[in-house]
Amino acid sequence: MSTEAPKLSPVEKIKEESHFLKGTIDTEMAADTDHFGSADIQLLKFHGTYQQDDRDKRAELKKAGGDKAYAMMVRCRIPGGRITSDQMLAQLDLCDELGDSTMKITTRQTIQLHGVLKKDLRATINRINEIELSTLAACGDVNRNIMCCPAKRADSVHQEMLKLTDELTHALAPQTPAYHELWITDPDTGESSLEGGGPVVEPLYGPTYLPRKFKMGIALPDDNCIDIYTQDLGFLAIVRDGTIIGYNVLVGGGMGTTPALKKTYPALAKRMAFCTPDQAVEVSKAIIKVQRDNGNREDRKIARMKYLVDSWGIEKFRRAVEEYFGQPLEDCKEDDVTGFDDHMGWQEQGDGLWSYGLNIENGRLYDNEHRQLKAMMREVCRTFGTEMRMTGHQSIIFTDIQSEEKDKLIDILNKHNVRTSEDTSTVRRWSMACVALPTCGLAITESERRLPSLMDDLEQPLAKLGLDKERFTIRMTGCPNGCARPYNADLALVGKARDKYTLYAGGGWLGNRLAYIYKDLVHSDDLVHEIIGIAAAFKANRNDGESLGDFCDRIGKDDLIVLVDAIERP
Ligand code: SRM
Ligand code: SF4
């Protein structure tokens, strides 16, 4: 038997030697360069920032003998997507002053800035902290931004869920003082504008943190808008007589895959056990510790918790969690997901006030001659001054609007040529795309820049089929990592090779079923033809009330291909 210690992945060494995420970031930041060196790039992720380069400019710069056009992406951690009007205004100013003048609402209810130059990184993160937001643990091998149903409701159920989101965020945050030292403390005077910092201890994570990223979400059975089955850890609220009596705990979801490596795959979370509300924080810590101590640290491709859950089986995993937790857990209640509300349009909050969910196409806020989304957002912030909430579908909910002010909000949208949710087609409203080109270093194809024109081209033929009001999800990503959660959607387009996508079918808007590969390597120009073929086959052969995803799942890949081959498209 070999007694050799396992060969840890290079990132493990970087973490271990980083002195709790400090590395040499401060020295590198002071250097007169436009980018960071490789070890610090890994550590910077824990601080909420990624080094990227503008891929549109690569070829031209290379030809001219230059280096890449480096810039940083800066991601905030905004639990449950809640943001005040003042914070939103400050983020908009930041994207104009120090970013690329656009702002991205992500699939995990938070904000990203792109195009921040290295020399402006400290100022950017400092200003984010000044407005009482943080970027710590927005990325990296730790618990990331916790998702929670963003609907604003007067009932205790929604409030309890958000309270748990905050408690978990607090309890699971890294404790390293490196964040405070690097971004808050003035490098010249050593003075700090905010409280924080402290001795180096990471009681939960230890010096090497987790083997890989870790994601959590809190959902309701009748409203799975945070896609609970895709999370490493999901809490499904169990409600009896209007009160949360506890949570079904789901573990081991995750989307990322590398198709060439059979050992990697997307997985839905598994139902593990039930816990009471006061157990939730300690149960989370126990789960994180099981992954911390047993997750794979040799091969990052199989380091997510889903692989540990699968290799052990859910029973063994549960026993390990119970051991760390210190007592047995009850079995899951029978409740499961039954609905998904994207919270678009007007919704009553139950306190006499209204929320308005506005679909932001692929989460990108910009101003151009056609639409002025940033100007609209600024005017809404200044006019209403109320809290906003970002959704897991890259959109925004304006809250606390009085009945008599509803028209005023719509007037502001119209004034800035922003499509209202009512004027947004159903197919567009239920679609989403990841960032991909030009900033994402892993993108193989276009995504965010491709989906809008695909939607333009789908709207008319879908209307001709009488499917313009049919709700189904189309999700697009520029590579198989799955940042727009494609593998549980009704239909998905996943970048596989230059201009070519794998077309998935058979997931569903409930998010509790994985899709199958319908066709591989579909050229970007053929996507409309393929999708309309499936839609026409669905129209002709669906059962009463059957959804597109359910239909594709029932028919199966081989028969669906036969049906689509024979179908006449409008
Ligand atoms: Fe993601 C890596 C963008 C949600 C799975 N993701 C990346 C990076 C940082 C690329 C990189 O590593 O160099 C992308 C930056 C692009 C850019 O230019 O900004 C990126 N991911 C995004 C965002 C911004 C997509 C969006 O358009 O909204 C989302 C930010 C969420 C947030 O606010 O935290 C985003 N990423 C997701 C999701 C969806 C989710 O979490 O609900 C997933 C699938 C769920 C999961 O984690 O399994 C996801 N991203 C990945 C993966 C694959 C992980 C895996 O287990 O294999 C990578 C690559 C990696 O980690 O190696 C990745
Ligand atoms: Fe980049 Fe791929 Fe994620 Fe899209 S899915 S943002 S291309 S890593």
Side-chain angles (χ1 to χ4, degrees):
M1 210 172 84
S2 165
T3 50
E4 265 180 53
K7 194 172 177 305
L8 298 178
S9 79
V11 178
E12 290 302 318
K13 193 157 183 273
I14 293 171
K15 287 186 279 186
E16 186 162 14
E17 292 174 357
S18 73
H19 198 64
F20 295 93
L21 310 179
K22 194 158 186 267
T24 54
I25 297 173
D26 51 353
T27 327
E28 282 225 52
M29 215 143 47
D32 187 20
T33 56
D34 62 359
H35 64 284
F36 291 89
S38 58
D40 285 332
I41 294 172
Q42 296 303 330
L43 300 175
L44 282 162
K45 295 179 186 178
F46 293 77
H47 297 263
T49 179
Y50 267 71
Q51 184 156 293
Q52 305 182 318
D53 72 285
D54 185 339
R55 296 180 58 186
D56 284 347
K57 295 192 177 141
R58 267 189 201 176
E60 197 189 317
L61 285 168
K62 198 172 171 197
K63 215 165 135 198
D67 199 354
K68 294 174 177 171
Y70 289 106
M72 309 299 292
M73 173 269 273
V74 179
R75 185 185 290 167
C76 288
R77 188 162 46 104
I78 306 182
R82 286 158 299 164
I83 183 165
T84 66
S85 283
D86 284 346
Q87 288 168 332
M88 179 60 85
L89 282 169
Q91 287 282 349
L92 289 165
D93 287 348
L94 267 180
C95 85
D96 280 341
E97 290 167 32
L98 301 175
D100 69 355
S101 85
T102 72
M103 203 182 96
K104 170 89 178 177
I105 301 177
T106 73
T107 52
R108 293 191 69 79
Q109 303 182 279
T110 183
I111 288 173
Q112 275 186 196
L113 302 175
H114 288 104
V116 175
L117 298 179
K118 174 176 169 260
K119 70 177 176 54
D120 296 326
L121 187 59
R122 185 181 175 280
T124 306
I125 297 182
N126 188 278
R127 274 171 65 175
I128 288 171
N129 280 271
E130 293 279 355
I131 56 168
E132 291 176 21
L133 292 177
S134 179
T135 62
L136 175 63
C139 322
D141 297 343
V142 279
N143 177 57
R144 307 271 189 101
N145 197 42
I146 301 181
M147 296 183 75
C148 181
C149 173
K152 179 137 193 190
R153 296 285 181 273
D155 64 57
S156 67
V157 168
H158 284 81
Q159 288 173 22
E160 280 294 311
M161 286 163 61
L162 285 168
K163 193 167 144 254
L164 178 60
T165 306
D166 289 339
E167 283 167 9
L168 288 166
T169 298
H170 185 69
L172 309 178
Q175 302 295 310
T176 174
Y179 185 79
H180 198 269
E181 276 169 41
L182 286 167
W183 315 109
I184 317 294
T185 309
D186 188 306
D188 299 324
T189 63
E191 279 171 18
S192 171
S193 52
L194 296 170
E195 282 182 21
V200 179
V201 269
E202 284 289 12
L204 178 59
Y205 294 113
T208 49
Y209 295 82
L210 295 181
R212 205 61 163 90
K213 54 176 73 164
F214 190 89
K215 299 180 174 181
M216 288 175 66
I218 305 177
L220 279 164
D222 60 356
D223 185 4
N224 182 27
C225 63
I226 59 96
D227 246 336
I228 193 164
Y229 275 96
T230 66
Q231 312 281 341
D232 290 270
L233 166 54
F235 283 109
L236 187 68
I238 307 301
V239 182
R240 300 284 183 264
D241 299 324
T243 307
I244 296 180
I245 57 155
Y247 296 89
N248 279 351
V249 183
L250 282 69
V251 290
M255 296 271 100
T257 175
T258 306
L261 294 176
K262 288 277 168 282
K263 62 184 175 184
T264 70
Y265 48 84
L268 294 179
K270 289 156 188 73
R271 293 155 61 87
M272 186 187 76
F274 171 84
C275 74
T276 57
D278 59 320
Q279 293 174 328
V281 170
E282 290 309 314
V283 167
S284 305
K285 285 187 182 170
I287 291 167
I288 285 177
K289 285 177 189 167
V290 172
Q291 162 69 351
R292 178 195 69 191
D293 297 346
N294 301 281
N296 191 314
R297 289 185 186 262
E298 293 150 57
D299 180 355
R300 286 180 69 79
K301 286 281 178 199
I302 48 168
R304 289 294 291 273
M305 197 172 79
K306 64 183 173 183
Y307 299 111
L308 180 64
V309 172
D310 280 359
S311 69
W312 278 6
I314 191 69
E315 281 313 320
K316 177 173 172 186
F317 187 87
R318 174 178 169 170
R319 281 197 301 277
V321 171
E322 288 170 338
E323 215 164 285
Y324 279 93
F325 179 59
Q327 65 185 87
L329 292 162
E330 273 180 56
D331 287 345
C332 280
K333 303 288 179 201
E334 67 283 9
D335 309 52
D336 204 345
V337 296
T338 55
F340 186 132
D341 187 344
D342 68 349
H343 305 296
M344 292 299 98
W346 288 111
Q347 296 196 333
E348 274 189 287
Q349 295 180 182
D351 55 1
L353 298 170
W354 291 80
S355 286
Y356 185 77
L358 178 68
N359 179 266
I360 306 287
E361 190 163 30
N362 304 320
R364 185 69 67 172
L365 292 164
Y366 57 87
D367 285 349
N368 66 19
E369 68 278 23
H370 306 295
R371 282 200 182 87
Q372 300 82 45
L373 286 144
K374 286 190 302 174
M376 171 279 296
M377 191 68 94
R378 284 197 162 98
E379 192 167 340
V380 171
C381 288
R382 292 194 180 113
T383 306
F384 297 97
T386 50
E387 188 190 59
M388 300 172 176
R389 295 183 176 188
M390 290 167 285
T391 75
H393 256 228
Q394 304 168 315
S395 288
I396 190 115
I397 304 173
F398 303 122
T399 70
D400 296 337
I401 312 279
Q402 307 209 359
S403 275
E404 55 277 21
E405 303 235 283
K406 285 164 78 179
D407 289 348
K408 202 192 265 181
L409 178 72
I410 302 302
D411 287 346
I412 297 174
L413 304 189
N414 291 336
K415 179 175 153 193
H416 297 287
N417 302 311
V418 171
R419 230 180 341 231
T420 61
S421 293
E422 294 72 19
D423 285 339
T424 304
S425 66
T426 310
V427 67
R428 197 184 297 268
R429 165 175 166 175
W430 285 90
S431 71
M432 61 177 177
C434 72
V435 182
L437 295 166
T439 52
C440 179
L442 305 178
I444 300 168
T445 59
E446 295 285 353
S447 181
E448 187 189 320
R449 295 196 296 198
R450 175 68 181 98
L451 199 63
S453 62
L454 183 69
M455 290 298 135
D456 292 344
D457 295 340
L458 285 174
E459 282 172 347
Q460 234 187 2
L462 283 173
K464 278 195 192 149
L465 283 168
L467 293 175
D468 45 332
K469 299 277 178 274
E470 188 69 30
R471 176 178 53 177
F472 54 88
T473 45
I474 299 186
R475 295 177 179 174
M476 181 180 252
T477 58
C479 84
N481 280 318
C483 297
R485 298 188 291 271
Y487 305 112
N488 62 345
D490 292 80
L491 297 178
L493 307 158
V494 175
K496 177 78 177 296
R498 194 188 170 94
D499 291 332
K500 289 186 177 152
Y501 297 81
T502 309
L503 172 44
Y504 285 80
W509 57 273
L510 277 186
N512 57 358
R513 186 177 58 223
L514 285 178
Y516 55 79
I517 294 179
Y518 169 73
K519 266 190 194 172
D520 205 5
L521 296 173
V522 179
H523 194 277
S524 181
D525 296 342
D526 300 328
L527 293 175
V528 174
H529 183 78
E530 292 294 347
I531 292 171
I532 293 302
I534 295 174
F538 165 61
K539 170 79 180 179
N541 298 283
R542 75 191 289 191
N543 289 336
D544 268 358
E546 193 173 37
S547 72
L548 177 64
D550 288 354
F551 164 78
C552 293
D553 180 59
R554 174 173 63 82
I555 298 292
K557 174 188 169 168
D558 295 342
D559 288 349
L560 185 59
I561 289 175
V562 173
L563 282 179
V564 173
D565 278 349
I567 205 78
E568 207 173 299
R569 290 165 173 83

